[in-house]
Amino acid sequence: MDTSFFKGIVPPIATPIDENEHVDEPRLREHIDFMIERGVKGILAFGSNSEFYMMDKDEQEPILKIILDQVKGRVPVYMGVGAIRTKKCIELALMGKEMGVNAVSVLQPMFLKPSEDELYTHFASIADALGDTPMLLYNNPGRTGYGISQDLVHRLCHEKENIIGMKDSSGDITQTEEFIRRNRDVNFKVMCGKDTAIYAGLAVGAVGAVCCTANFIPELVCSIYDKFTSGDWKGALEAQFRLNPIRLQMDKSSFPVAMKDCGNLLGRDLGKPFLPNKPSTVSQLEGLKKVFIENGYTISEEK
């Protein structure tokens, strides 16, 4: 199975919505072009920062159709799938397969804390249903309350040919390194899921990173990957150091509102989050403005 497309900086695309919480199609299309033109190597629909958990299947389908139509094959499109019930995950994954996504990324179930055997059955069932469509594991212990173990990842990618890689958002670089080391024999590829650890992930063999900050400062984020892969390790590290204070300041907002707030501050017009989330507080917005200005960015006068 060809996995060469799985690399680079991939943003979990923001979902611009209107006052009635319907997708704002013109803004979504413009935002896709903005990121592709500035160097991202893929688009992830329905990632955590895309607010996938706020949308049902009927809402996701037209959004995915817009994304695929606007991308027009310029970069791979990944579909994020996250649900508690295995049957629902399969339905969502098959929708993505039928619509033509390049790969499906599957988060471990939220709220539950399944056993190793239960989690194996969950992922294996989705992989079997997808057939020849590539599948990625998405390890996000910070949001689900537990992680996907090294042994389970090893078993899954050695038994299921279409499980070609994963996004590791553990923030533990040893974990990321071990996911890579233990599964090199089947060309299993790992992307880092922490914007502050792009450089560190690349240094231990990651093929790229899924970064929410690429929604509003894609040139800086992509430069870490581009410089590193071209051999300019010092330049890549300096770019990482410039990104870190911005990403760390974002953590002072409630998840996941800071991504849209940052875009709005820089003139991207990403709108508001789905309720019950609200934009960052005034004091937090001032903190974000300060860190942007310190790093040479201009704040939109409208904000």
Side-chain angles (χ1 to χ4, degrees):
M1 181 174 289
D2 179 21
T3 63
S4 59
F5 67 90
F6 187 50
K7 62 183 179 181
I9 300 300
V10 177
I13 189 168
T15 308
I17 54 175
D18 62 23
E19 62 277 6
N20 296 312
E21 297 192 345
H22 299 142
V23 63
D24 189 316
E25 182 173 341
R27 279 194 291 164
L28 178 58
R29 288 182 180 276
E30 189 276 335
H31 189 51
I32 291 167
D33 288 344
F34 169 81
M35 290 186 293
I36 293 176
E37 290 166 4
R38 286 158 179 79
V40 303
K41 296 296 191 291
I43 297 290
L44 171 61
F46 315 124
S48 298
N49 276 277
S50 309
E51 302 170 280
F52 78 86
Y53 36 82
M54 300 293 193
M55 297 172 261
D56 59 29
K57 182 182 176 184
D58 289 341
E59 292 174 303
Q60 288 189 1
E61 186 172 5
I63 293 172
L64 185 58
K65 183 178 180 180
I66 293 167
I67 292 172
L68 287 163
D69 179 67
Q70 191 66 25
V71 170
K72 291 181 172 64
R74 289 176 288 172
V75 296
V77 173
Y78 305 86
M79 179 185 179
V81 169
I84 296 172
R85 189 177 179 184
T86 304
K87 181 180 179 181
K88 183 176 181 181
C89 285
I90 291 173
E91 290 174 353
L92 290 168
L94 289 178
M95 180 181 76
K97 175 187 175 77
E98 291 164 6
M99 294 179 70
V101 299
N102 296 88
V104 174
S105 173
V106 183
L107 176 69
Q108 68 261 49
M110 302 161 284
F111 186 72
L112 304 179
K113 211 162 189 179
S115 68
E116 197 91 337
D117 178 65
E118 290 168 335
L119 201 53
Y120 172 84
T121 299
H122 179 74
F123 285 125
S125 298
I126 300 166
D128 288 342
L130 281 170
D132 59 356
T133 297
M135 174 172 152
L136 311 170
L137 305 174
Y138 176 16
N139 181 43
N140 193 339
R143 297 296 161 196
T144 61
Y146 66 97
I148 307 174
S149 74
Q150 294 285 340
D151 287 344
L152 181 57
V153 170
H154 184 271
R155 180 184 177 189
L156 284 166
C157 71
H158 281 77
E159 292 184 8
K160 304 296 178 182
E161 184 180 351
N162 63 328
I163 297 182
I164 65 164
M166 72 183 296
K167 172 191 174 185
D168 179 31
S169 294
S170 67
D172 183 339
I173 203 64
T174 300
Q175 279 271 55
T176 304
E177 184 176 8
E178 285 297 285
F179 285 133
I180 296 165
R181 181 189 68 83
R182 291 188 60 182
N183 304 300
R184 290 178 296 169
D185 59 321
V186 290
N187 196 31
F188 187 74
K189 296 182 175 181
V190 178
M191 279 198 178
C192 182
K194 291 288 185 181
D195 300 44
T196 51
I198 304 168
Y199 182 94
L202 293 171
V204 299
V207 296
V210 178
C211 305
C212 68
T213 49
N215 277 272
F216 52 87
I217 45 175
E219 296 98 333
L220 175 60
V221 182
C222 291
S223 74
I224 301 171
Y225 174 82
D226 293 340
K227 289 176 184 292
F228 188 95
T229 54
S230 68
D232 181 10
W233 302 305
K234 183 177 179 180
L237 185 58
E238 286 303 316
Q240 180 73 76
F241 285 166
R242 187 179 173 206
L243 175 63
N244 281 11
I246 297 170
R247 181 62 188 86
L248 293 171
Q249 182 67 33
M250 292 172 66
D251 286 337
K252 297 180 182 180
S253 300
S254 64
F255 178 82
V257 304
M259 185 175 79
K260 285 184 173 178
D261 290 336
C262 288
N264 294 336
L265 288 172
L266 297 180
R268 291 299 314 133
D269 190 21
L270 297 180
K272 295 180 180 180
F274 289 89
L275 290 172
N277 285 125
K278 297 179 179 181
S280 297
T281 63
V282 172
S283 61
Q284 166 62 349
L285 288 173
E286 288 302 316
L288 289 168
K289 289 179 184 178
K290 183 174 183 291
V291 76
F292 277 130
I293 292 169
E294 288 173 347
N295 282 276
Y297 291 96
T298 301
I299 300 302
S300 171
E301 293 182 3
E302 296 181 3
K303 304 298 178 183

